[in-house]
Amino acid sequence: MNTEWFIVLSALLFATGAIGILLRRSPMVILLCLELMLNAGNLALVAFSRMVGNGQGQVFAVIVMVIAACEVVVGLGLIVAIFRRRLPLNVDDLRELRG
Amino acid sequence: MEEVLFFLSAIGALGGAIGVIAMRNPFYSVLALIVHLFSLAALFLLLTSAFVAAAQVVVYAGAVMVLYVFVVAYVGGGGESAWEPIPGQRFLAPLLGIALFIELAVAVLSSSLLALGTDGPDVEAGFGDPAAIGRLLLEKFLLPFEASSILLLLAAIGAIVLASNRRPGAGDTPDEPSPNREEGVSPAPGVHA
């Protein structure tokens, strides 16, 4: 398969994740859409790694996975904390920190 | 054969992604994301990167998604309100996403990367297997490897601090003087437990 196909698919997945972040209100679904965008980036990294014939892009993808796991852990911790305080789980209601 | 596998996995990945943003119930969104992650692992295998595919299935579709399922079960679904702070957001967001896709595709495909239209060079048998990735991680990328392990530790500590079982309301943060402490009244039993 040409590398082009993988890159176009990666761009499509990235755009899908961006649409989800703009559309959805629940912080949990927004975290899931962030995962979609990170995974699209991972796909592009691995595709370019194959295109160049060098394994370094795959190491980068593994590090991105670690970052994604950290983001999930902190994000879900925040969601649990918000839920415990009985605040609404809706990003439009939680707007006190907006500038 | 390769094309068939690619298009099957691509349909799975794209369908999973659309499922994530289209499902009303967050639990179904998590299940759609698991489909997406498995299809992506198949794509990684097509790109001869066995280790990344295995890590994707074990770490992502295994561990991270279990965490998501737990939190969704704890917090519960709950419908989203139809109220929009920006008028027409429901129609503007897909337009913006399509524009983003076109922009990304044009930016990459019109670049001067000559190898973009090829399958890539022939690689030896050990390309992308755990031994090769492990050697790269421990020889060339030792510093990023250690930094990411410290980051994971910090994230774990942060999650414990964020989600620890403290009473909502009075006296839950030590920095902030609680009304009880200002008046010299001892806090109720169990507040600092």
Side-chain angles (χ1 to χ4, degrees), chain A residues 37-58:
Chain A
M37 295 173 80
L38 282 167
N39 274 312
N42 258 353
L43 181 62
L45 279 173
V46 175
F48 279 129
S49 156
R50 178 70 184 80
M51 180 187 97
V52 181
N54 189 328
Q56 296 179 10
Q58 298 180 14

Side-chain angles (χ1 to χ4, degrees), chain A residues 22 24 35 56 68 84 89, chain B residues 23 60 75 89 121 140 163:
Chain A
L22 291 173
R24 301 300 298 263
E35 297 287 312
Q56 296 179 10
R84 282 235 174 97
L89 273 174
Chain B
M23 293 291 182
Y60 248 124
V75 172
Q89 190 179 2
K140 193 161 184 181

Side-chain angles (χ1 to χ4, degrees), chain A residues 1-4 7 15 20 22 24-25 31 35 39 46 50-51 56 58 65 67-68 73 84-85 89 92, chain B residues 2 21 23 37 48-49 56 60 68 74-75 80 83 89 108 116-119 121 128 140 159 163 172:
Chain A
M1 287 304 292
N2 281 352
T3 313
E4 282 171 347
I7 300 302
L22 291 173
R24 301 300 298 263
R25 307 278 154 65
L31 272 182
E35 297 287 312
N39 274 312
V46 175
R50 178 70 184 80
M51 180 187 97
Q56 296 179 10
Q58 298 180 14
M65 267 183 210
I67 304 292
V73 164
R84 282 235 174 97
R85 274 150 207 269
L89 273 174
D92 285 332
Chain B
E2 210 185 331
I21 66 172
M23 293 291 182
L37 292 175
T48 59
S49 49
Q56 177 94 3
Y60 248 124
Y68 264 111
Y74 178 62
V75 172
E80 297 182 10
W83 175 63
Q89 190 179 2
V108 173
L116 204 56
T118 67
D119 287 1
K140 193 161 184 181
D172 52 350

Side-chain angles (χ1 to χ4, degrees), chain B residues 23-64:
Chain B
M23 293 291 182
R24 286 274 138 215
N25 190 337
F27 190 73
Y28 293 140
S29 290
V30 174
L31 293 185
L33 190 66
I34 292 176
V35 172
H36 169 80
L37 292 175
F38 270 100
S39 311
L40 220 55
L43 286 173
F44 289 157
L45 276 182
L46 276 179
L47 289 165
T48 59
S49 49
F51 177 73
V52 182
Q56 177 94 3
V57 170
V58 173
V59 176
Y60 248 124
V64 173

Side-chain angles (χ1 to χ4, degrees), chain B residues 109-131:
Chain B
L109 295 184
S110 67
S111 66
S112 54
L113 288 170
L114 291 177
L116 204 56
T118 67
D119 287 1
D122 291 330
V123 288
E124 68 271 26
F127 182 75
D129 69 349

Side-chain angles (χ1 to χ4, degrees), chain B residues 165-167 169-173 178 180-181 186-193:
Chain B
N165 196 1
R166 286 179 301 187
R167 286 264 174 95
D172 52 350
T173 45
S178 67
N180 280 346
R181 228 169 288 162
S186 64
V191 165
H192 294 301

